[in-house]
Amino acid sequence: MKITSVELEKRCRDPKGFPRSPLPEIAFAGRSNVGKSSLINTLLTRRRLVGVSSTPGKTRSIDFFRINDAFRFVDLPGYGYARVPKAVQNAWKTLIDAYLVNRETLVSVVWILDIRRDVSDLDRMLHDWLCSYAIPYIPVCTKADKVSPGDREKQRKALRKSLDPEADPVLFSAKTGLGKDVLWKRMRAAMLHPAASNASRKPLGGPAGRPGGAGR
Ligand code: GDP
C-alpha cells in the first residue's frame, strides 16, 4: 500500500467528537504494551506517528488517523494495564463500547496479541465480544522476532485451537517488517468487501463481556 498522506484527524475522549464523514475505518485493539503503536507506525512507514510508550496505559483517547484521504486507522486505548485506576478503566470501557457498537463505518478490528504471552482473560473477553457483535476482526501476533520460527507456528496453532479454528493470525514484527504485506492485504480485502455494516449488526445471544474492563 502506498501511503501518500497521514493526518491525525481527531483525538477523542467523547463519542460526540468522532469524525462524521463516512470513510471506512480499521480499528486497532490490544492490551497495553502489546506493540500496537509500533504496528501502526510500521504499517504507515512513519517512525513516530503514534508515540511508542515507555509508560504503558498512557493513551486515554481514541485517535482517528485519516490516510490517503480514503480511509482511517482508529487507535483504541490499550486495555488491561493494572496501574490505571478503576475509574479511568471504566471511562475507557465506555468510550471503546461506544465506538465498537455504534460505528457504522467500522469494517474490521485488528486484534493484537503478544506472541510470547498466553491469551489473557481480557483478550478473550474482547474476542468474545467482537464475535457476539459480529464485528469482523483480523488477529495479529506481534513481536514475532522475539521467538523462533518453530515457536511462532506453535503459538499460531494454539491460538486457533483455543479461540477459533477458522482464525488465521498474522505473524507480525515491527522490527523486521514480517507480516506487514500480509496484514495490508487482509485490511484491504476487508475495506473492499465489508462483511456487514455496523448498522445491521446485532449481538448474537448477547455480549459475553466487555473490553477494557478492570486491569489486573
Ligand atoms: P503499545 O503500548 O501497545 O502501543 O506498544 P508499543 O508499540 O509502545 O510497544 C511496547 C514495547 O514493545 C516497546 O518497547 C517497543 O519497542 C516493543 N515492540 C513493539 N513491537 C515490537 C516488535 O515487533 N518486536 C520487538 N522486538 N519489540 C517490539
Side-chain angles (χ1 to χ4, degrees):
M1 169 71 74
K2 188 167 180 341
I3 305 299
T4 53
S5 66
V6 179
E7 175 204 340
L8 174 57
E9 191 176 351
K10 281 222 158 166
R11 178 162 274 176
C12 300
R13 289 172 193 228
D14 186 321
K16 287 191 196 114
F18 292 170
R20 287 173 189 270
S21 62
L23 290 179
E25 292 178 351
I26 304 272
F28 294 79
R31 62 179 301 149
S32 180
N33 214 34
V34 74
K36 178 162 55 69
S37 311
S38 304
L39 180 141
I40 295 173
N41 288 333
T42 303
L43 288 171
L44 297 177
T45 52
R46 300 295 192 274
R47 290 191 78 181
R48 296 206 158 268
L49 180 75
V50 186
V52 173
S53 61
S54 46
T55 342
K58 227 175 109 199
T59 323
R60 291 168 191 196
S61 53
I62 295 188
D63 296 346
F64 293 81
F65 295 93
R66 191 180 177 110
I67 297 152
N68 294 358
D69 263 329
F71 60 94
R72 293 190 184 98
F73 274 7
V74 181
D75 186 7
L76 300 176
Y79 51 82
Y81 184 57
R83 271 188 255 161
V84 174
K86 192 89 186 248
V88 177
Q89 291 270 2
N90 285 338
W92 291 357
K93 180 176 90 76
T94 309
L95 190 62
I96 296 174
D97 275 9
Y99 176 79
L100 289 176
V101 175
N102 299 318
R103 192 71 176 165
E104 291 180 20
T105 43
L106 172 65
V107 294
S108 190
V109 173
V110 174
W111 175 49
I112 310 162
L113 300 156
D114 186 324
I115 197 157
R116 300 163 307 166
R117 286 167 164 250
D118 289 334
V119 177
S120 72
D121 290 346
L122 282 175
D123 292 325
R124 199 174 289 278
M125 208 182 274
L126 175 63
H127 172 262
D128 292 350
W129 194 82
L130 291 172
C131 292
S132 71
Y133 273 98
I135 297 172
Y137 68 94
I138 305 169
V140 173
C141 297
T142 50
K143 309 191 187 182
D145 58 280
K146 293 201 176 202
V147 300
S148 71
D151 283 345
R152 285 176 207 165
E153 281 311 313
K154 228 186 265 170
Q155 189 65 2
R156 176 148 69 173
K157 277 188 193 143
L159 206 68
R160 265 194 203 158
K161 205 170 158 196
S162 75
L163 290 172
D164 178 358
E166 301 285 312
D168 186 16
V170 177
L171 301 179
F172 190 89
S173 165
K175 203 168 171 187
T176 67
L178 176 80
K180 182 178 164 179
D181 293 344
V182 177
L183 182 52
W184 266 121
K185 214 167 156 184
R186 304 248 314 246
M187 291 190 300
R188 205 166 7 201
M191 285 191 273
L192 286 174
H193 307 289
S197 105
N198 228 347
S200 62
R201 278 181 208 132
K202 294 206 170 48
L204 309 171
R210 286 286 201 271
R216 287 163 311 127

